[in-house]
Amino acid sequence: EPAARRQMGLTPLAPGELATIVTSLEMTARPAAPTEPVRAPFKLERWTAPVSVEAYRALFRKIGGPWLWFSRLLLSDAELAAILDAPTTELFVATRRDGTAIGIIELDFAAPNQTELAFIGLTPELAGHGHGGWLMSHALRRAWRDDTVRVWVHTCDLDHPGALRFYQRQGFKPYARAVETFPDPRLTGLYPADIAPHVLLLA
């Protein structure tokens, strides 16, 4: 049976692991027209160093939990602070008028003349209301500097089902795919077992 599966192109996963297809997308030319954010009932503010790692993790979970974002949760306080407070990182938080945080933009300028859109997202209840375009407009305005030649981002099929199409509508073009396997973060204790019910929990 294992040999037959390999012949069919199936690769068994270890107990407690998940697999996802990661798609990388890029934009290699500045948008032709100025990207002006549409009106939204939110405001965007720069999150300046030193960033509270506790506050960052709470927002990361709030936005990414339903899609099993986990990478930042594996880091120690010192490792996370080193990323967030680095001079090549720009972090922005979107808030409601009452100050409640509902969105995040994290830009990485570490590579010369390139910007990685490391994380971008809104809390799940805001999906489907057009606010993603507002957030992306702000992200692109900040990602494209005078010497920038490429902006890139990656998503996976555990993310919001409309994420890939959304990036393409914004002007990003897919250029690579890869399969990623990792321990299910609900089984390692990073998230409760009842989060992301659309993803089968199989110990």
Side-chain angles (χ1 to χ4, degrees), residues 37-60:
V38 297
R39 294 179 62 84
F42 314 120
K43 63 179 181 178
L44 191 74
E45 296 180 344
R46 176 81 180 267
W47 206 343
T48 56
V51 175
S52 163
V53 293
E54 293 84 4
Y56 176 91
R57 285 195 188 103
L59 184 56
F60 187 90

Side-chain angles (χ1 to χ4, degrees), residues 111-182:
N113 309 115
Q114 299 186 44
T115 307
E116 179 187 358
L117 184 49
F119 292 98
I120 182 170
L122 293 164
T123 51
E125 75 276 5
L126 297 176
H129 298 285
H131 302 311
W134 171 83
L135 194 66
M136 180 60 80
S137 294
H138 278 290
L140 291 177
R141 290 179 72 198
R142 289 160 174 81
W144 282 99
R145 296 177 170 179
D146 290 342
D147 60 349
T148 302
V149 299
R150 178 177 181 261
V151 176
W152 71 280
V153 67
H154 67 267
T155 186
C156 74
D157 57 6
L158 295 181
D159 211 339
H160 187 284
L164 182 57
R165 292 191 300 275
F166 171 75
Y167 289 129
Q168 291 177 285
R169 288 198 303 270
Q170 299 298 317
F172 287 93
K173 297 184 183 304
Y175 69 90
R177 286 188 301 176
V179 176
E180 179 183 12
T181 61
F182 53 91

Side-chain angles (χ1 to χ4, degrees), residues 82-95:
I83 293 172
L84 301 181
D85 297 340
T88 53
T89 299
E90 288 193 6
L91 187 63
F92 301 86
V93 60
T95 62

